[in-house]
Amino acid sequence: MSADTRPRLIDTLGRTRRSFWDWRGRRPFWGGLLCILAGVPIMYIPYQTMTLGDLHIRMATTAGAGSLIIGVLLIVLGLTMWYQPQSRVFAGVAAILLALVSLVVSNFGAFLVGFLLALVGGGLGVSWMPGRPAAVAVTEDSGGGHRAD
């Protein structure tokens, strides 16, 4: 195999990036990402110990298990938005409800960071709609509202 026939790294990266953009465009990517990111502080912060000098402040409460469950469910709902875009409305509504529950269960929604991320991510999941294929959009616009056969 000569150097001229091998695929160049720039071509491979370009194809990979374009493939990722196509994949991302067919699903509520940002809503899923925000839900995944929301699950991390909600399940992480209640189990941590803060240290201020010689003073140790333990954040763990009796609701630690509930925080862990809410965080894991938010991560699963974010992945559901990515890999099952048909169920985006269910996943978005469930993420919003879990965000509201995390206010009570998980240290004010992990100090409002996880709450706000889950709320916005769930809203993006509910409001996302798949786009129309380019060929259908062009024929409908050029035909005066009638589809060309």
Side-chain angles (χ1 to χ4, degrees), residues 62-120:
T62 56
S67 299
L68 183 65
I69 291 171
I70 290 172
V72 168
L73 284 175
L74 282 172
I75 290 172
V76 167
L77 289 172
L79 292 173
T80 300
M81 286 184 205
W82 281 0
Y83 295 107
Q84 294 292 326
Q86 306 88 334
S87 60
R88 69 189 180 280
V89 175
F90 166 75
V93 170
I96 291 170
L97 291 175
L98 283 173
L100 293 173
V101 169
S102 76
L103 281 174
V104 178
V105 173
S106 176
N107 294 338
F108 295 111
F111 302 121
L112 297 179
V113 173
F115 167 73
L116 291 175
L117 287 173
L119 205 60
V120 173

Side-chain angles (χ1 to χ4, degrees), residues 6-90:
R6 286 186 295 163
R8 293 184 359 198
L9 180 61
I10 294 173
D11 294 339
T12 305
L13 291 176
R15 274 194 306 268
T16 304
R17 186 180 64 176
R18 212 168 317 124
S19 172
F20 174 70
W21 282 358
D22 290 342
W23 179 83
R24 187 184 74 182
R26 292 189 305 265
R27 60 202 74 243
F29 177 78
W30 295 109
L33 181 66
L34 290 178
C35 284
I36 291 170
L37 291 176
V40 173
I42 287 176
M43 69 181 177
Y44 178 75
I45 289 176
Y47 287 102
Q48 295 311 304
T49 301
M50 292 180 9
T51 303
L52 299 172
D54 290 334
L55 180 64
H56 297 284
I57 302 170
R58 181 115 179 130
M59 301 299 294
T61 63
T62 56
S67 299
L68 183 65
I69 291 171
I70 290 172
V72 168
L73 284 175
L74 282 172
I75 290 172
V76 167
L77 289 172
L79 292 173
T80 300
M81 286 184 205
W82 281 0
Y83 295 107
Q84 294 292 326
Q86 306 88 334
S87 60
R88 69 189 180 280
V89 175
F90 166 75

